[in-house]
Amino acid sequence: MDDSEARFEEMLKGLRKRNCRITPQRVALLRLLAVDEGHSSASHLYQQLKAQFPTTSLATVYKTLNLLKEMGEVVEIGFSDDDNRYDGNKPYPHPHLICVRCRKIMDPEVSIAQDLVQQVAQQSGYQIISHRLDFYGLCPDCREGE
Ligand SMILES: [Zn+2]
Ligand SMILES: [Zn+2]
């Protein structure tokens, strides 16, 4: 079972545990969220779902996203000037690489975050609950077009 399949199963289990209705739309949404390197916005997820399920509404997508967020099964990456994006593949705080041109979001394969969190906690006396580390730049595809 690969990573995204495992995440899909976990999210589904989470919804079942809460006695949430498991509709085919919800199952399809979980599949989209579980994909590695997904980081889709709610409206993008909605567009993809609508192609398969014409009766799906954006409100339904938000409802499921908020539910999963509450359960700690998706990470929301909020922006002040752009749509929020969602990661169901890695449902814990992790660094993100954000392309300023095509708005692609990737998970860099680094593990500096944990050391950083410990250092910050030690120096500040804070109990760290969460953190956010974003790297902005041009992705390889966009750099090629330079
Ligand atoms: Zn790009
Ligand atoms: Zn991510």
Side-chain angles (χ1 to χ4, degrees):
M1 193 158 34
D2 75 2
D3 211 30
S4 64
E5 186 62 30
R7 283 300 306 140
F8 168 75
E9 295 289 343
E10 261 167 68
M11 286 192 276
L12 195 61
K13 221 193 286 170
L15 287 179
R16 283 220 174 94
K17 220 188 272 172
R18 291 199 159 204
N19 293 319
C20 297
R21 244 167 25 102
I22 311 295
T23 59
Q25 287 96 316
R26 266 203 170 142
V27 171
L29 179 59
L30 296 189
R31 285 246 176 249
L32 293 173
L33 283 167
V35 173
D36 194 17
E37 314 294 5
H39 305 105
S40 290
S41 67
S43 53
H44 187 235
L45 291 164
Y46 168 62
Q47 294 302 337
Q48 285 172 278
L49 279 183
K50 214 173 145 63
Q52 291 178 63
F53 306 97
T55 56
T56 308
S57 72
L58 185 57
T60 313
V61 172
Y62 270 117
K63 211 172 135 190
T64 307
L65 284 173
N66 285 330
L67 202 59
L68 290 167
K69 204 173 73 179
E70 261 174 50
M71 289 159 46
E73 294 288 346
V74 301
V75 165
E76 183 181 59
I77 313 153
F79 297 98
S80 58
D81 59 343
D82 204 355
D83 288 346
N84 291 352
R85 307 275 284 265
Y86 298 89
D87 187 346
N89 185 256
K90 293 187 173 71
Y92 45 83
H94 58 275
H96 281 114
L97 270 167
I98 300 164
C99 178
V100 296
R101 189 163 295 164
C102 68
R103 308 304 289 184
K104 176 162 54 202
I105 300 183
M106 309 266 296
D107 297 329
E109 297 296 326
V110 292
S111 54
I112 50 168
Q114 227 25 58
D115 296 348
L116 201 60
V117 173
Q118 260 162 30
Q119 271 184 45
V120 170
Q122 264 165 20
Q123 283 179 5
S124 64
Y126 269 59
Q127 182 195 351
I128 307 298
I129 298 161
S130 184
H131 61 79
R132 183 170 166 182
L133 186 59
D134 294 338
F135 295 89
Y136 291 88
L138 288 174
C139 73
D141 289 343
C142 289
R143 284 184 67 193
E144 220 164 87
E146 285 279 277

